[in-house]
Amino acid sequence: MTESQFNPDNHKYAEASYFEDLTVGQRFYIPSRTLRDANFAAFQLASGDNHPIHYDVEYCRAQGHPELLAHGFQVLIQSAPGAGLFPHVLGEAMVAFIDQSSRFLGPVYCGDTVYPELVITDLKPQRTTGVVTIKSTIHNQRRELVMEGEQRFLVRRRTTG
């Protein structure tokens, strides 16, 4: 292909999967990651959260925690769909991220490795779109479920009517 034949519109990660292509039970793993001091510092900078439970290890130990305690939102962002394949699988069929909910079930400490996963739990067809509900979970290296929640997305249908 010559430079004149290149078209950035054709530069896609994958062909789009539309609402009809998705199935309940379909899984989307997000790569595991170990949360270190740099993750805590970056989150503090982005969020403006300055509570010492998240950034002062001696304060944490005085409160009975062995290490810095991750902020709930710092844990939640590990389940961001864009960190995995889900939005790439949908591609141009993705219309909107509608909402999310989450429950924090256990502590996440500096040095923990988290394993996020998204699973389609419900598909509600509409006329030209559909609502995709995904269960989001995060486990730690001890196999403990530390967060669970739900995310919903509006996705185009291939066919209408």
Side-chain angles (χ1 to χ4, degrees):
M1 174 183 332
T2 66
E3 284 186 35
S4 63
Q5 294 173 318
F6 174 76
N7 182 345
D9 293 338
N10 296 328
H11 190 84
K12 296 178 184 174
Y13 188 74
E15 289 298 315
S17 291
Y18 289 81
F19 181 81
E20 297 89 342
D21 302 320
L22 303 173
T23 59
V24 170
Q26 194 170 353
R27 295 180 181 278
F28 298 90
Y29 296 101
I30 296 173
S32 61
R33 62 191 59 119
T34 301
L35 301 177
R36 301 275 184 206
D37 289 338
N39 302 98
F40 280 69
F43 187 80
Q44 180 183 23
L45 181 65
S47 70
D49 185 315
N50 290 309
H51 193 282
I53 196 75
H54 308 303
Y55 310 107
D56 180 338
V57 72
E58 296 308 322
Y59 179 88
C60 291
R61 289 179 181 147
Q63 305 305 312
H65 297 284
E67 252 305 333
L68 297 176
L69 180 64
H71 190 292
F73 286 122
Q74 184 179 359
V75 176
L76 171 62
I77 63 174
Q78 305 308 312
S79 69
L85 292 177
F86 179 70
H88 301 289
V89 167
L90 295 180
E92 63 212 28
M94 169 84 79
V95 176
F97 178 33
I98 300 171
D99 59 37
Q100 76 83 34
S101 64
S102 52
R103 293 179 347 129
F104 304 102
L105 305 171
V108 174
Y109 295 111
C110 188
D112 279 355
T113 301
V114 293
Y115 299 84
E117 179 183 26
L118 307 175
V119 179
I120 296 176
T121 59
D122 192 38
L123 297 165
K124 289 205 182 323
Q126 301 179 133
R127 194 171 60 79
T128 61
T129 60
V131 175
V132 179
T133 302
I134 291 179
K135 179 178 182 179
S136 56
T137 59
I138 299 178
H139 287 81
N140 64 18
Q141 73 276 12
R142 293 176 296 280
R143 300 178 183 203
E144 300 163 334
L145 180 63
V146 295
M147 192 217 80
E148 68 180 358
E150 196 172 84
Q151 302 177 23
R152 293 186 320 137
F153 300 85
L154 190 63
V155 178
R156 285 183 184 87
R157 292 186 68 175
R158 179 177 282 111
T159 58
T160 58

